[in-house]
């Protein structure tokens, strides 16, 4: 289907912004800034093409133009110019474009290329206060760069995502989860302070104690209330190495019980789970792990039951703790019920572990692939039903040999309910990530499969919540937010009353 035309002709918004600057509608901007602004708004074919696509490669919305800011004032100026219109144009902040359903797009509006801010110097700075060490990071910065910058000083954030080539502002607008989240909470739980440009063009510094309504709203807020331009993130002493294993299970009860046991203790530093539906999964592990396992045994188990489970378990250490790491690790393993002869093990540097997933932007086939992902949070009380109905009865039937399926528990008490992120109302809940990769012509097969899972949960009364949510109607969003909807809507009216920001989420905008 052809893309619909922009709501506004491509030059209209550019000309309007410049006109507002000239007549002084936007406040006391300097002449130098006014003259410079024109060069930062582009609508050439390459800029438009990039801004109308994302990692999902499923939805394409054509903007009117793209702003390449060199400083924060450029973004403020853009948002104020939209507010000055009788009919405002929409604005979407774009980091590395790793949304999968057009969330960082806007049809006929302006996309802000946040990465452009990093071209004028380093925006990663380490500091200290009475509470300890922290790092101030530009919202456009990548987590991989935060890792390298902080570990040079023997420090590191404590919570990460599995993939580090994501922007800080983008992940904090969702939550940012990984195998450390059971212990330290998601990335949004480890933020001390933010600089945010609201939907009214106001530059606000906020924290738990200062402008807290904006602070809690923006974290996990899907870009609805403001654009994050700086985040102050907690740092701790960085370990230097990671002892890393993957343990295979054939029994779901053993698998889930062991995962829940592990996240109830402080013994491991990282716990995730992997669903194995074909031999390609464990064959691929051999590039990271040494193993005494018999691949034919894995193949035989898969042939008999169609699905295996694996726990990914990591404990960090350094020179001071190196003498005890093997003993401590073995004590952890003795309490688990995995298949003894099927263990994959490795010992790597901290950086090699955290950066184990390479930069997917370097994939030469990226333009030929789609990623129709589904990410869910599932309440622990229904996890056995979910396993029987979805993992056992549906997942093995899906002919997906290149996807990655992740499944592990999280602790609710590590999340702050004042933030906008939505999770199940149980002490323990699981996250499922179905990270499908397909050809464009096959994407509908995976979308149909994802919808079958959602229908199964609806019919079975399993109250799942989508992570990285995608809905097409306001009614679905109201159901998603549940008891949080009223405060979410109130914050929108307070910080972005003209519904300018992040229209691609389709919460308050139809497109």
């Amino acid at each position: 289907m052809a893309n619909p035309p922009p709501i506004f002709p491509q030059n209209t918004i550019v000309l309007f912004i410049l006109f507002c600057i000239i007549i002084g509608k936007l406040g006391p901007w300097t002449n130098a800034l006014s003259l410079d602004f024109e060069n930062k708004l582009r609508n050439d074919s390459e800029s438009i093409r990039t801004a109308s696509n994302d990692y999902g490669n499923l939805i394409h919305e054509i903007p009117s133009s793209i702003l390449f800011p060199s400083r924060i004032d450029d973004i403020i100026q853009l948002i104020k110019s939209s507010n000055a219109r009788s009919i405002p144009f929409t604005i979407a902040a774009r980091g590395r474009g790793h949304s999968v359903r057009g969330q960082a797009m806007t049809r006929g509006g302006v996309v802000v290329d946040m990465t452009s801010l990093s071209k004028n110097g380093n925006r990663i700075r380490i500091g200290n206060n009475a509470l300890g060490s922290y790092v101030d990071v530009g919202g456009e910065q990548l987590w991989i760069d935060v890792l390298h910058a902080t570990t040079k000083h023997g420090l590191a954030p404590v919570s990460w995502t599995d993939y580090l080539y994501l922007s800080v502002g983008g992940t904090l607008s969702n939550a940012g989860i990984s195998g450390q989240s059971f212990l330290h909470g998601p990335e949004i739980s480890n933020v001390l302070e933010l600089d945010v440009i609201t939907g009214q063009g106001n530059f606000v510094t906020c924290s738990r104690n200062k402008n807290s309504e904006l602070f809690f709203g923006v974290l996990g807020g899907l870009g609805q209330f403001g654009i994050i331009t700086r985040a102050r993130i907690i740092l701790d002493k960085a370990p230097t190495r990671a002892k890393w294993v993957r343990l295979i299970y054939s029994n779901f009860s053993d698998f889930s019980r062991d995962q829940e046991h592990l996240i109830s203790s402080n013994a491991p530093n990282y716990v995730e789970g992997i669903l194995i539906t074909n031999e390609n999964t464990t064959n691929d592990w051999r590039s990271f792990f040494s193993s005494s396992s018999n691949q034919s045994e894995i193949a035989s188990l898969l042939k008999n039951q169609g699905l295996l489970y694996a726990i990914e378990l990591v404990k960090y250490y350094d020179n001071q703790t190196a003498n005890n790491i093997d003993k401590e690790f073995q004590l952890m393993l003795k309490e688990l019920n995995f298949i003894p002869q099927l263990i994959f093990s490795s010992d790597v540097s901290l950086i090699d572990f955290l950066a184990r997933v390479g930069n997917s932007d370097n994939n030469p086939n990226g333009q030929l692939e789609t990623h129709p992902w589904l990410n869910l949070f599932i309440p622990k009380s229904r996890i056995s039903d979910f396993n029987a109905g979805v993992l056992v009865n549906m997942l093995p039937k899906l002919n997906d040999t290149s996807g990655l399926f992740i499944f592990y528990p999280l602790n609710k008490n590590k999340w702050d309910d004042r933030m906008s992120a939505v999770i199940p109302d149980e002490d323990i809940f699981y996250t499922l990530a179905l990270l499908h990769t397909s050809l464009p012509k096959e994407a509908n097969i995976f979308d149909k499969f994802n919808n079958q899972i959602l229908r199964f949960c609806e019919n079975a009364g399993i109250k799942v919540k989508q992570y990285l949510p995608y809905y097409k109607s306001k009614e679905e969003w109201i159901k998603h937010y549940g008891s949080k909807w009223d405060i979410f809507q109130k914050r929108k009216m307070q910080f972005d009353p003209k519904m300018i920001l992040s229209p691609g989420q389709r919460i308050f905008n139809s497109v």
Side-chain angles (χ1 to χ4, degrees), residues 143-157:
W143 286 101
I144 185 69
D145 296 323
V146 175
L147 172 65
H148 289 301
T150 55
T151 52
K152 286 179 181 178
H153 298 270
L155 300 167

Side-chain angles (χ1 to χ4, degrees), residues 171-183:
T171 58
L172 295 182
S173 296
N174 288 280
I177 60 172
S178 185
Q180 303 94 354
S181 299
F182 81 93
L183 186 60

Side-chain angles (χ1 to χ4, degrees), residues 114-418:
M114 296 296 290
T115 63
S116 185
L117 287 172
S118 64
K119 296 177 181 178
N120 287 338
N122 179 23
R123 282 175 36 90
I124 303 176
R125 296 182 178 86
I126 295 170
N128 293 277
N129 58 25
L131 299 177
S133 299
Y134 61 82
V135 59
D136 282 327
V137 185
E140 79 286 351
Q141 296 294 314
L142 303 185
W143 286 101
I144 185 69
D145 296 323
V146 175
L147 172 65
H148 289 301
T150 55
T151 52
K152 286 179 181 178
H153 298 270
L155 300 167
V158 295
S159 187
W160 300 89
T161 51
D162 286 324
Y163 181 70
L164 299 186
Y165 294 86
L166 302 171
S167 69
V168 169
T171 58
L172 295 182
S173 296
N174 288 280
I177 60 172
S178 185
Q180 303 94 354
S181 299
F182 81 93
L183 186 60
H184 299 289
E187 289 176 337
I188 57 175
S189 293
N190 294 277
V191 177
L192 298 172
E193 185 178 273
L194 297 170
D195 286 342
V196 176
I197 306 172
T198 70
Q200 295 167 306
N202 298 321
F203 181 85
V204 181
T205 298
C206 55
S207 67
R208 283 174 169 80
N209 301 314
K210 178 182 179 183
N211 299 310
S212 60
E213 196 70 22
L214 182 61
F215 180 80
F216 293 125
V218 165
L219 292 172
L222 305 179
Q224 293 302 302
F225 315 115
I227 296 175
I228 298 171
T229 61
R230 177 187 65 92
R232 177 166 291 182
I233 298 164
I234 295 170
L235 296 180
D236 201 353
K237 180 183 176 182
T240 56
R241 298 198 63 81
K243 192 167 181 64
W244 178 19
V245 299
R246 287 177 179 168
L247 315 168
I248 294 182
Y249 292 73
S250 60
N251 181 278
F252 179 76
S253 295
D254 289 340
F255 167 70
S256 58
R257 184 170 54 248
D258 282 358
Q259 281 197 312
E260 290 170 23
H261 165 72
L262 288 166
I263 71 162
S264 70
S265 72
N266 292 327
N269 297 104
Y270 176 102
V271 177
E272 282 197 9
I274 301 169
L275 305 174
I276 304 168
T277 59
N278 62 78
E279 296 174 61
N280 290 348
T281 302
T282 51
N283 273 326
D284 290 344
W285 294 356
R286 294 178 183 277
S287 60
F288 288 103
F289 297 91
S290 60
S291 173
S292 58
S293 66
N294 187 334
Q295 196 68 20
S296 63
E297 184 173 351
I298 294 173
S300 177
L301 286 168
L302 281 171
K303 184 177 180 180
N304 289 335
Q305 60 187 73
L307 177 68
L308 296 174
Y309 312 90
I311 290 179
E312 185 167 33
L313 180 62
V314 175
K315 190 168 180 64
Y316 301 149
Y317 67 100
D318 54 25
N319 289 338
Q320 284 71 42
T321 57
N323 291 336
N324 296 323
I325 184 64
D326 289 336
K327 180 180 179 181
E328 292 176 1
F329 211 90
Q330 287 304 314
L331 288 174
M332 275 198 304
L333 295 184
K334 283 182 180 180
E335 298 178 339
L336 307 179
N337 295 293
F338 59 95
I339 302 173
Q341 66 272 26
L342 299 180
I343 179 170
F344 294 75
S345 60
S346 187
D347 194 309
V348 297
S349 72
L350 177 74
I351 290 177
D352 285 345
F353 170 69
L354 293 175
R356 63 198 179 278
V357 183
N359 186 356
S360 65
D361 293 342
N362 295 331
N363 180 5
N365 297 318
Q367 294 299 316
L368 304 176
E369 295 177 345
T370 59
H371 299 94
W373 290 0
L374 178 66
N375 294 267
L376 297 177
F377 291 147
I378 306 128
K380 175 194 168 181
S381 63
R382 300 300 304 278
I383 207 66
S384 294
D385 297 327
F386 188 87
N387 173 65
V390 174
L391 304 187
V392 173
N393 288 335
M394 295 175 64
L395 195 58
K397 299 174 184 176
L398 182 67
N399 184 24
D400 185 359
T401 57
S402 58
L404 174 64
F405 311 135
I406 303 172
F407 186 75
Y408 59 94
L410 296 163
N411 290 312
K412 182 186 177 185
N413 63 5
K414 299 298 182 179
W415 296 64
D416 191 327
D417 194 51
R418 294 171 293 179

